[in-house]
Amino acid sequence: MIQPPKQRFAPDPWCLRETAPDPATHFLHETLFALGNGYIGVRGTAEEGWSGPAGTSRDGTYLNGFYESEPIHYPETAHALAKTNQFMLNVPNAKGLAIWLDEERFDPLQGTLDAYERSLDLRRGVLERSLRWTSPSGKSIAVHSRRVVCFDNKHLLALEVTVMPLNFSGTLRIVAALDGAVRNLEAGDDPRVGSAVSGASLELLSAEQEDGFSALVQRTRNSGFTLVSATLVDAPGTVRCSRAGLRLEDACEVPAVQGQPVRATKYVSYHTSRDYPESELLPRSRALLDEARRDGFDALAARQAGYLADFWRQANVEIDGDDLLQQGIRFNQYHLLQSAGRDGKTNISAKGVTGEGYEGHYFWDTEIYIFPFFLYNKPEIARALLEYRWAGLEAARRRARQMSHPKGALYPWRTIAGEECSAYFPAGTAQYHINADIAYSIRQYLDATGDDDWMRAHGAEIVMETARIWLGIGSIDRYGRFVINEVTGPDEYTALVNNNYYTNAMAQAHLEFAAALAARLATEFPADFSRIASAMALEAGEPEAWRSAAAKMHLPYDEALGIHEQDDSFLSKKRWDFENTPAENYPLLLHYHPMVIYRHQVCKQADVVLALLLLSSRFGLDDKRRDFDYYEAVTTHDSSLSSCIFSIVAAEVGYAGKAYDYFMETARMDLDDTHGNTCHGVHTAAMAGTWLGVAQGFGGMRTDGGTLRFAPTLPARWRGYRFRIHLRGCLLEVGVAAAGTRYRLVQGDALHFSHHGKAIALTAAQPEHMEAA
């Protein structure tokens, strides 16, 4: 199933270092050394490009939320199937900076590479490379490059290259390119990779070149968005412009004097009509690039370091005793920061902005796996992620009508702009639990922040409008139980079943929350309640109907085995023949027809086990242990979402060894490429699962209303660990060591508290009342 990890990098806790450009690892390293800021994503290909063998590179630049759309073609169609796909575009490549020594082009794979190091500094947010190279004719140069994608301005990135002739004088030419002749990766046999594109997605409207400034103005063929990709080159000598089709070049030629460095800096911007009127795009691009050149690369790098210093002050997780693991955790946290949209219009795709896997779509991964990381480490990003769901509420209402629900809202399973893009409904649209997942994240946000303003303005309406869907698909059966039939839970190896446990349990919590919110609004904020009720056309009896459905919810349980059944039919199916399934046949989805998998008792990922975590207070420890034992035996973990959840629950039920093993599968999943597909982009949800593994797994953190509860344990291989969390305006540090656990309030009321027992409860509203749980 998951292959043993291969250590690819020296265990530097704050840095990723590559010591040679290797065709065998280049495709993977393009992902690992990618830079992003939540909007722009740039894969880690060098400025001069890559001349290695075919299939060893997939260069790409991506803009979170900028997409093209195409009709979905079904050989046999049916009512309300998703009609249009949206896919993130590979936009013009602006990284190009080619170096010529007289008539020889610099290429690390030609000539002789005398020294080489490339590093990604997680504290400064700069990708840096230093090398010495000798050309086939014997000319030697030293090259130093820096690259930054700016966190403090989502439209801006910058590159700097310094070249020093070491043993010759002659002519040095630096050619900066803006290349619009790019295409998206086309899907093959793996449904997780690429897009079903029918051709070039961007049409050229105009090209601009003057005084080192170059810009391509393009428009998507179907979605109708305009994109301006622009560069400004700051280099010695005269910059000469040229154009060949969709490729714009700015070249400077200077005398190469032995021992004297030549520096060229390139500032790059991307602006689209999703953010600004089309008429403003070019002026905004030029103004931003002029400002960046005035500031200079060093100033941009300093601002980047300042932004990251504040991030690590809030989010740093420290592991005492394992530098390899420490590197993995910080690498994951850094990539999460690079991936998260923070403008209320964009979200987090399954691969972030590092690759085209899953077409740049947003899933439930955000709410269940990624959202808690930002909620407790950078709450303003968590709020922006919820604002994205608010922006999609009208589209969710339209989707509900398409699905024959006369009222309510149904959020799409996979989307970019809000419309359902899942062409395979058994493992897509049928996952109605997306509504409960979003409501769950809203409840977490309100509990952790106390942000009643956002609740009144947006959150309550989302929660109540989505709660209506459960009464639309559920019903009371002949035994008086509220049942929800023909849905798919988190486990995508089990589709279209009755009473998926996770779905029913999360729907129950959703309905209870919606009814409680309605009651609170009516009592405390009657004007807001009246406004929301009017907007929803809420009927007087609906909140009570939600309470009634929640109270009668059918939650399948097998008395003989003492476990919660994944659904009404799961235990009656034949177990998958794990013993006789070859290792190369995993993941199963690539080797067996879905119907073959659906007929068996086999799980792709955590399902009931995930419910044990999210709704922890509703289960006893013995129930959790029995459920864990049963479902572990039938789970392949073919999904990257699985191992972290099994790790957390294993830690809670006392399986320390399993907890650690599952945690390690998650912590370095991308650095060690354990799933074999990181070349197509990082696994953002699994990256967030690493933080969950520390805080909720080993730290035992659980939420209960406005209270956080901790029950820390110390893995045998660690000397200690620390993490920080935000709660109601306070920043709390949890430090665990062999001598005990220390809770320290870093920000907020001047309170310090130490406790060496097994558990603690913290209520930030009255922190002086902290007590052992």
Side-chain angles (χ1 to χ4, degrees):
M1 316 216 205
I2 295 177
Q3 299 298 315
K6 300 176 182 178
Q7 183 177 332
R8 301 178 184 275
F9 300 99
D12 187 319
W14 284 107
C15 192
L16 207 62
R17 284 190 174 85
E18 175 187 70
T19 56
D22 183 358
T25 59
H26 185 265
F27 198 177
L28 170 65
H29 286 197
E30 284 181 343
T31 295
L32 301 182
F33 286 94
L35 293 183
N37 62 5
Y39 179 63
I40 299 172
V42 179
R43 282 178 64 83
T45 305
E47 290 77 16
E48 69 275 1
W50 177 252
S51 64
T56 60
S57 175
R58 178 59 193 171
D59 203 355
T61 302
Y62 311 104
L63 304 180
N64 189 1
F66 181 71
Y67 68 91
E68 175 62 314
S69 58
E70 288 201 350
I72 299 173
H73 298 288
Y74 298 95
E76 296 181 33
T77 190
H79 176 72
L81 293 183
K83 301 298 183 186
T84 305
N85 188 30
Q86 301 163 351
F87 51 91
M88 182 175 69
L89 284 176
N90 187 6
V91 300
N93 179 4
K95 296 194 301 294
L97 278 171
I99 301 167
W100 293 79
L101 318 178
D102 294 325
E103 298 305 314
E104 290 182 289
R105 178 168 177 161
F106 164 62
D107 183 344
L109 297 187
Q110 308 298 322
T112 304
L113 200 57
D114 303 303
Y116 179 97
E117 180 179 277
R118 180 166 65 155
S119 61
L120 174 58
D121 188 319
L122 305 178
R123 278 179 294 202
R124 296 189 298 120
V126 176
L127 181 64
E128 202 159 356
R129 184 178 60 155
S130 296
L131 59 87
R132 293 196 312 274
W133 177 77
T134 302
S135 73
S137 70
K139 297 184 178 71
S140 293
I141 57 173
V143 178
H144 181 251
S145 66
R146 296 190 291 171
R147 182 185 305 174
V148 62
V149 179
C150 301
F151 282 119
D152 66 339
N153 190 313
K154 77 173 191 176
H155 301 287
L156 183 65
L157 68 100
L159 313 96
E160 179 192 80
V161 174
T162 303
V163 184
M164 179 183 289
L166 297 177
N167 66 350
F168 74 99
S169 295
T171 301
L172 183 66
R173 186 157 51 99
I174 298 177
V175 181
L178 174 60
D179 187 2
V182 295
R183 299 285 292 270
N184 271 56
L185 180 66
E186 295 189 26
D189 293 333
D190 190 337
R192 302 167 296 179
V193 178
S195 307
V197 291
S198 58
S201 298
L202 290 167
E203 297 178 320
L204 181 67
L205 299 182
S206 66
E208 309 282 337
Q209 281 187 292
E210 61 171 346
D211 300 327
F213 173 78
S214 293
L216 289 170
V217 184
Q218 297 169 292
R219 182 174 294 147
T220 57
R221 293 179 181 273
N222 299 316
S223 56
F225 300 125
T226 301
L227 164 68
V228 171
S229 312
T231 64
L232 184 61
V233 177
D234 187 5
T238 302
V239 178
R240 293 182 172 84
C241 304
S242 62
R243 176 183 171 189
L246 290 174
R247 183 180 177 88
L248 310 183
E249 291 187 350
D250 294 291
C252 66
E253 190 172 289
V254 297
V257 179
Q258 183 176 341
Q260 294 186 11
V262 175
R263 177 173 298 140
T265 308
K266 186 178 189 181
Y267 303 96
V268 180
S269 69
Y270 294 95
H271 290 80
T272 84
S273 58
R274 288 208 75 192
D275 290 320
Y276 306 105
E278 184 174 319
S279 61
E280 296 183 13
L281 299 180
L282 260 176
R284 283 182 177 272
S285 298
R286 186 61 195 253
L288 176 61
L289 295 180
D290 284 341
E291 180 185 0
R293 180 168 61 179
R294 286 193 299 270
D295 291 343
F297 191 98
D298 287 342
L300 299 183
R303 294 205 296 266
Q304 187 86 340
Y307 183 97
L308 284 167
D310 180 66
F311 170 71
W312 291 118
R313 180 186 68 83
Q314 299 176 69
N316 187 28
V317 173
E318 297 179 67
I319 305 297
D320 184 5
D322 192 332
D323 283 348
L324 201 65
L325 177 58
Q326 179 72 82
Q327 180 187 52
I329 291 173
R330 288 192 178 130
F331 173 82
N332 291 345
Q333 291 180 278
Y334 182 78
H335 263 281
L336 287 169
L337 183 66
Q338 292 196 135
S339 299
R342 56 207 70 180
D343 55 9
K345 295 182 290 187
T346 54
N347 202 273
I348 305 174
S349 70
K351 296 293 185 181
V353 284
T354 65
E356 297 167 45
Y358 293 107
E359 303 176 282
H361 288 161
Y362 313 138
F363 294 80
W364 73 308
D365 305 23
T366 298
E367 279 74 27
I368 297 304
Y369 291 84
I370 301 171
F371 183 82
F373 169 76
F374 286 108
L375 176 60
Y376 294 112
N377 290 281
K378 207 161 176 57
E380 64 271 24
I381 293 181
R383 176 170 173 157
L385 296 173
L386 292 180
E387 287 170 352
Y388 166 82
R389 291 300 188 184
W390 167 254
L393 183 58
E394 286 305 315
R397 286 182 170 122
R398 291 193 297 272
R399 183 57 178 162
R401 305 302 169 268
Q402 293 167 4
M403 294 297 292
S404 302
H405 301 299
K407 55 187 176 182
L410 176 60
Y411 276 94
W413 178 244
R414 56 189 296 176
T415 189
I416 294 177
E419 291 74 33
E420 178 64 83
C421 295
S422 179
Y424 185 65
F425 72 86
T429 298
Q431 297 205 46
Y432 268 65
H433 65 83
I434 182 69
N435 269 17
D437 301 330
I438 292 170
Y440 184 88
S441 68
I442 292 173
R443 182 168 190 170
Q444 281 191 303
Y445 176 77
L446 296 178
D447 286 346
T449 66
D451 189 351
D452 280 345
D453 289 343
W454 192 86
M455 181 271 290
R456 293 156 59 193
H458 306 308
E461 188 170 347
I462 296 174
V463 170
M464 293 193 292
E465 193 74 293
T466 51
R468 288 171 142 178
I469 294 299
W470 300 119
L471 271 65
I473 64 168
S475 60
I476 302 296
D477 70 2
R478 58 180 176 162
Y479 303 109
R481 307 173 304 184
F482 188 84
V483 296
I484 301 175
N485 295 327
E486 217 61 28
V487 296
T488 300
D491 171 29
E492 293 179 355
Y493 284 173
T494 309
L496 298 176
V497 297
N498 295 342
N499 298 304
N500 167 255
Y501 187 91
Y502 175 91
T503 301
N504 285 24
M506 290 290 284
Q508 181 185 54
H510 184 181
L511 289 164
E512 292 169 350
F513 180 38
L517 264 184
R520 184 180 172 214
L521 280 170
T523 302
E524 298 181 25
F525 309 104
D528 291 299
F529 180 73
S530 178
R531 172 182 53 81
I532 294 169
S534 177
M536 293 175 54
L538 184 70
E539 297 176 14
E542 286 191 70
E544 183 53 40
W546 300 338
R547 288 190 192 90
S548 177
K552 297 174 181 177
M553 185 69 67
H554 174 43
L555 300 171
Y557 188 83
D558 185 274
E559 296 289 349
L561 294 174
I563 65 168
H564 298 92
E565 300 179 62
Q566 184 164 302
D567 58 73
D568 285 350
S569 61
F570 187 81
L571 297 182
S572 65
K573 296 176 181 177
K574 180 175 66 174
R575 279 203 180 196
W576 187 269
D577 186 1
F578 295 101
E579 291 76 14
N580 294 307
T581 300
E584 61 269 20
N585 279 17
Y586 294 92
L588 301 181
L589 65 95
L590 298 184
H591 299 90
Y592 301 93
H593 190 282
M595 290 297 294
V596 175
I597 299 173
Y598 294 164
R599 292 189 187 107
H600 287 83
Q601 195 178 138
V602 58
C603 297
K604 181 183 180 185
Q605 63 207 86
D607 194 300
V608 169
V609 175
L610 180 57
L612 301 179
L613 170 61
L614 301 185
L615 304 171
S616 181
S617 63
R618 303 186 180 210
F619 303 92
L621 194 61
D622 289 340
D623 270 331
K624 291 178 181 179
R625 189 175 292 111
R626 287 192 299 269
D627 284 344
F628 181 95
D629 291 343
Y630 189 90
Y631 290 104
E632 183 190 31
V634 295
T635 301
T636 65
H637 307 291
D638 284 349
S639 168
S640 62
L641 305 179
S642 190
S643 295
C644 62
I645 303 303
F646 272 80
S647 172
I648 295 167
V649 177
E652 183 177 12
V653 300
Y655 296 157
K658 289 183 177 182
Y660 197 82
D661 290 345
Y662 280 123
F663 176 76
M664 288 303 296
E665 287 179 6
T666 303
R668 290 184 60 90
M669 181 179 292
D670 287 313
L671 282 180
D672 295 328
D673 195 24
T674 57
H675 278 239
N677 62 357
T678 297
C679 57
H680 296 298
V682 298
H683 298 80
T684 53
M687 287 177 153
T690 306
W691 183 86
L692 295 174
V694 174
Q696 297 185 345
F698 304 125
M701 187 178 88
R702 298 291 186 272
T703 59
D704 183 11
T707 299
L708 286 183
R709 300 182 184 277
F710 298 91
T713 58
L714 180 64
R717 304 182 196 183
W718 300 355
R719 291 187 292 270
Y721 61 98
R722 284 188 295 276
F723 62 94
R724 293 180 172 186
I725 60 100
H726 281 273
L727 181 67
R728 304 274 178 132
C730 299
L731 183 61
L732 176 76
E733 181 178 270
V734 180
V736 182
T741 302
R742 184 169 185 257
Y743 302 87
R744 184 171 69 91
L745 202 57
V746 177
Q747 176 182 306
D749 293 339
L751 173 71
H752 297 273
F753 184 86
S754 296
H755 185 74
H756 298 281
K758 292 184 177 179
I760 183 174
L762 168 65
T763 304
Q766 295 179 308
E768 67 275 13
H769 294 157
M770 288 194 304
E771 59 186 36

